[in-house]
Amino acid sequence: MLIDDKSALYWASAAESVQWMRPWEQLVSGEMPHASWFVGGQLNVSVNCLDRHLEAGLHKKTAIIWESEQGEVLSWTYEKLSADVQRCANVLRSSGVSKGDRVTIYMGLVPEAVVAMLACARIGAIHSVVFGGFGADALATRVSDAESCCIITCDAAYRRGKTLPLKENVDKALKTCATVKHVLVVDRTGSNICMEQGRDLWWHEEMSKASEVAEPVAMDSEDIFFILHTSGTTGKPKGIVHTTAGYLVGVTSSFQQVFQPQATDIYWCTADIGWITGHSYVVYGPLANGATIFLYEGALDWPDPDRVWSLCAKHKITIFYTAPTAIRSFMKSGFDLPQKHDLSHLRLLGSVGEPINPEAWQWYKNKVGHDHCPIMDTWWQTETGMIMIAPPCSLDQKPGAATQPLPGVDIRVVDQAGQTLGRDQAGFLVISQPWPSMLRGIWHDEERYLETYWKQITGSYFTHDRAKQDADGHYWILGRADDMLIVSGHNLSNAEIEASLGQHPSVVEAAVVGIPDEIAGQKIIAFVIPHTGAVSDEELVVVLKAHVGASLSPVAKPKKIFFVSDLPKTRSGKIIRRLLRALLTKEENSDITTLTNPEALAEIKNMIDSLDDAVSTQ
Ligand code: WT7
């Protein structure tokens, strides 16, 4: 057996949270790193997200409430969602899409995107959702890698009052992607676009002709469910492969564990469907549980910085799940703004994407949750498919600790040799037993799968994160292993230093990197976004160095601090520290395909260049 008895019992009972067309015979089999789950079983994800709720009498329950950027509100009952999904499934079928074919979904956050995902699930087509904020090249790379036969898109997407030309990007991408036979286009904005005869089809025309009954395909447990590309540290994105039953069991049960949904909840996860969070906790986890989900099309701070709070109040959101980077920007743009809105319906708050610094955690708890909402700091990855670590759902939590593995999840902190470390010792975070929603590989790249996740620590899945267990056995995530620092022989994590800087009341957000130093091995450089109205830069440098020295250790003091207005980030809000390092070390040719705010990088580059000029003319 690949897993211990306790985990086996847990996963066997978790499998009862989904509806099977044929029961599974064997819980888990294979040899790591290739485990198969629920072998012999058959099921369909769209049946689990729709039909079974209709059978249970939830026809009239609201499945989706959607608000457009302009403020228009529409809602879909489970009955209507089911009819639309089946119609779309028929449209795909009549366009020649069948089980195992890849369909790229490249849309804004509109309900049709959820319909498209579930329609693929219904007919067993493998979806590959590409974030609507990506441009034509990024789209082309992903369509080519997946060899999709169909793209579902919108004419354009609204973003901050402007439109993003999605269909135009598709047209550009298709110059190099020969596999695509059809493009299905939702008319979202009425933009003037080209429709290529024979290839391009209007969503509304095809949908109106299609029947609202489409038989679901019985999928084997291990049939591929979807591919989702995630960027590696460099180079080509990795197409992470998830399979049907394990993924569905993982997200259905973890949604229950972490969010403890109640029938009357209105649940809002702010992620885009282009990320794994959007797959697992906007669409599949909540809908498999018959929840009511809220979707908002636009930017959370547009047209006003408190749009996010007015949406929570207006739609009486009870569960709110977002990312630390968003929380910090809410704090920065309006420390007291949540108080202007009635947030009394909120009962649970969630965070995902990176370690949440204690200052942001406290603010979230106090200003947004009025001290009565537990904060679920959830650690997981595109590769894990589901939340792996989360705190107990209580008000007695430690700010910044993701805390404890979910049942059936075997997390360890180990050294380079794979030896389990004791309490308070920082090391690599690994997962030692397979779990149902684990990635099954990288699309068409077995070598890279083994190389990236299985070669570092023998027998375990390597997360690429560092972590430690505190004296109570609770897990703290210390950031990515590749961002680690060694200064004068001391092992430091960028996350700890960033957290220390972040605790200071003058600091909104900080990024810390190490660059080579002849004496110390590495020296620490910090990039800090200060609060407006803070003391002068010179004074603040002294104060912050002293603060880090006192709160962590004198070796952790940054050698240099740059005050910046923004930090280079990915679209999912992760700081790209390697770009900061590259600027400091004058490395050329950095890969900036995942960078969402080039202006931030340009500002920092100017700062560093002018400093070099000053030094060279001294
Ligand atoms: C990486 C995975 C999982 C959905 C969003 C990101 C970091 C994620 C936490 C957390 C500390 C976190 C890790 C992880 N991360 N959640 N609660 N505390 N770090 O998915 O893009 O695949 O990124 O995000 O470094 O490895 P992803």
Side-chain angles (χ1 to χ4, degrees):
M1 190 68 153
L2 287 168
I3 58 173
D4 59 49
D5 291 350
K6 201 169 154 207
S7 301
L9 272 176
Y10 175 75
W11 287 120
S13 76
E16 285 166 25
S17 63
V18 312
Q19 186 174 305
W20 297 84
M21 290 168 161
R22 194 169 80 197
W24 52 272
E25 285 148 20
Q26 196 181 356
L27 183 69
V28 53
S29 75
E31 244 175 77
M32 295 301 283
H34 295 285
S36 302
W37 283 84
F38 308 115
V39 183
Q42 282 190 330
L43 76 180
N44 181 286
V45 173
S46 79
V47 169
N48 274 275
C49 292
L50 302 164
D51 310 45
R52 70 160 159 164
H53 304 317
L54 303 187
E55 283 158 23
L58 297 181
H59 301 71
K60 299 292 169 213
K61 179 163 180 178
T62 305
I64 301 178
I65 305 169
W66 173 79
E67 179 158 333
S68 73
E69 196 174 74
Q70 296 99 326
E72 178 196 3
V73 178
L74 295 174
S75 68
W76 272 253
T77 58
Y78 270 95
E79 191 172 42
K80 180 162 182 288
L81 183 62
S82 171
D84 279 357
V85 166
Q86 299 194 56
R87 257 195 217 109
C88 182
N90 284 327
V91 171
L92 291 174
R93 274 183 175 145
S94 58
S95 309
V97 181
S98 53
K99 185 181 167 191
D101 289 343
R102 276 79 60 207
V103 173
T104 294
I105 297 177
Y106 176 63
M107 305 170 89
L109 203 43
V110 289
E112 288 86 346
V114 179
V115 171
M117 289 168 81
L118 289 165
C120 288
R122 194 144 194 104
I123 65 170
I126 298 170
H127 61 60
S128 160
V129 183
V130 177
F131 174 53
F134 279 140
D137 291 344
L139 174 65
T141 311
R142 288 159 177 79
V143 173
S144 301
D145 187 48
E147 297 175 302
S148 297
C149 66
C150 175
I151 298 185
I152 308 178
T153 189
C154 300
D155 58 341
Y158 284 113
R159 196 72 184 172
R160 297 183 186 282
K162 302 201 182 81
T163 51
L164 297 178
L166 298 182
K167 175 61 166 59
E168 207 178 297
N169 289 341
V170 169
D171 293 341
K172 279 188 205 150
L174 288 193
K175 295 209 168 97
T176 58
C177 305
T179 52
V180 176
K181 305 266 186 317
H182 287 292
V183 181
L184 192 57
V185 188
V186 173
D187 184 8
R188 169 68 193 106
T189 68
S191 298
N192 196 5
I193 54 164
C194 298
M195 292 291 280
E196 193 180 298
Q197 258 231 306
R199 186 193 72 183
D200 301 348
L201 306 163
W202 282 111
W203 171 282
H204 56 271
E205 287 177 5
E206 301 304 311
M207 288 287 276
S208 68
K209 288 186 270 179
S211 138
E212 57 180 57
V213 181
E215 278 308 305
V217 167
M219 301 286 283
D220 286 336
S221 289
E222 283 294 325
D223 279 340
I224 295 182
F225 181 31
F226 66 82
I227 311 171
L228 181 61
H229 286 92
T230 176
S231 45
T233 36
T234 51
K236 197 177 160 224
K238 301 177 289 222
I240 301 298
V241 174
H242 282 287
T243 54
T244 308
Y247 176 81
L248 186 68
V249 170
V251 298
T252 308
S253 59
S254 59
F255 183 76
Q256 290 167 7
Q257 289 276 340
V258 175
F259 298 106
Q260 318 213 337
Q262 293 162 14
T264 52
D265 274 323
I266 315 270
Y267 166 89
W268 185 15
C269 168
T270 65
D272 189 90
I273 47 145
W275 313 123
I276 190 70
T277 312
H279 286 57
S280 301
Y281 300 108
V282 172
V283 181
Y284 295 116
L287 294 181
N289 278 287
T292 299
I293 63 172
F294 174 65
L295 296 178
Y296 166 57
E297 179 182 37
L300 294 171
D301 58 353
W302 198 89
D304 302 304
D306 57 350
R307 179 77 186 260
V308 59
W309 311 127
S310 65
L311 288 169
C312 281
K314 177 171 168 189
H315 298 286
K316 300 187 169 50
I317 303 298
T318 60
I319 305 177
F320 181 70
Y321 189 27
T322 194
T325 173
I327 299 170
R328 285 191 294 267
S329 75
F330 300 151
M331 257 172 97
K332 188 181 171 202
S333 61
F335 199 81
D336 293 316
L337 272 184
Q339 272 156 303
K340 297 211 170 114
H341 300 272
D342 175 12
L343 302 181
S344 60
H345 295 91
L346 287 173
R347 66 170 186 84
L348 203 76
L349 299 173
S351 167
V352 61
E354 49 176 325
I356 176 164
N357 51 305
E359 194 200 5
W361 192 96
Q362 291 292 358
W363 180 85
Y364 197 29
K365 178 154 177 115
N366 176 251
K367 299 281 178 182
V368 181
H370 297 106
D371 292 322
H372 74 243
C373 301
I375 310 255
M376 305 308 280
D377 175 4
T378 61
W379 179 90
W380 57 296
Q381 306 178 303
T382 305
E383 293 86 345
T384 69
M386 63 170 229
I387 295 170
M388 303 295 274
I389 309 182
C393 188
S394 86
L395 287 174
D396 180 25
Q397 294 170 323
K398 295 178 191 172
T403 312
Q404 63 192 21
L406 259 48
V409 171
D410 187 354
I411 289 281
R412 303 212 181 149
V413 177
V414 301
D415 65 13
Q416 207 100 40
Q419 293 300 313
T420 304
L421 293 172
R423 303 280 157 100
D424 269 331
Q425 280 183 288
F428 301 115
L429 186 70
V430 300
I431 308 172
S432 306
Q433 289 183 14
W435 64 101
S437 65
M438 93 183 214
L439 79 164
R440 298 299 194 270
I442 296 176
W443 182 252
H444 289 169
D445 203 343
E446 172 71 6
E447 198 46 47
R448 194 171 178 196
Y449 173 60
L450 300 177
E451 203 54 55
T452 312
Y453 304 109
W454 300 97
K455 290 259 162 88
Q456 285 87 345
I457 312 283
T458 316
S460 288
Y461 166 83
F462 180 44
T463 65
H464 290 261
D465 277 4
R466 297 179 74 251
K468 70 172 186 209
Q469 265 185 300
D470 66 14
D472 300 326
H474 293 153
Y475 289 91
W476 295 72
I477 309 297
L478 301 174
R480 301 292 285 180
D482 8 338
D483 288 330
M484 208 180 90
L485 306 162
I486 301 178
V487 181
S488 307
H490 296 263
N491 244 340
L492 298 164
S493 92
N494 67 301
E496 279 174 307
I497 306 173
E498 287 166 6
S500 164
L501 286 166
Q503 273 157 14
H504 194 276
S506 301
V507 175
V508 177
E509 186 164 27
V512 165
V513 297
I515 57 167
D517 180 81
E518 275 176 23
I519 296 163
Q522 273 188 315
K523 64 182 167 202
I524 300 167
I525 312 291
F527 296 84
V528 167
I529 306 179
H531 266 297
T532 37
V535 290
S536 76
D537 287 2
E538 294 77 27
E539 267 177 85
L540 195 52
V541 167
V542 178
V543 170
L544 291 180
K545 284 187 180 175
H547 169 77
V548 173
S551 76
L552 279 181
S553 116
V555 283
K557 280 193 210 170
K559 262 271 172 309
K560 168 115 197 93
I561 301 181
F562 289 95
F563 294 107
V564 299
S565 55
D566 202 0
L567 293 163
K569 285 186 181 162
T570 64
R571 288 175 166 88
S572 59
K574 287 190 174 50
I575 300 168
I576 316 179
R577 294 180 188 78
R578 84 185 146 73
L579 290 180
L580 295 171
R581 259 193 309 267
L583 284 183
L584 290 164
T585 57
K586 310 285 174 226
E587 211 176 281
E588 308 268 315
N589 302 329
S590 305
D591 174 12
I592 54 161
T593 45
T594 54
L595 178 66
T596 183
N597 53 348
E599 12 10 288
L601 198 67
E603 180 200 38
I604 296 171
K605 183 170 187 312
N606 282 339
M607 244 180 227
I608 294 172
D609 288 350
S610 60
L611 199 77
D612 293 343
D613 291 346
V615 172
S616 63
T617 52
Q618 259 171 20

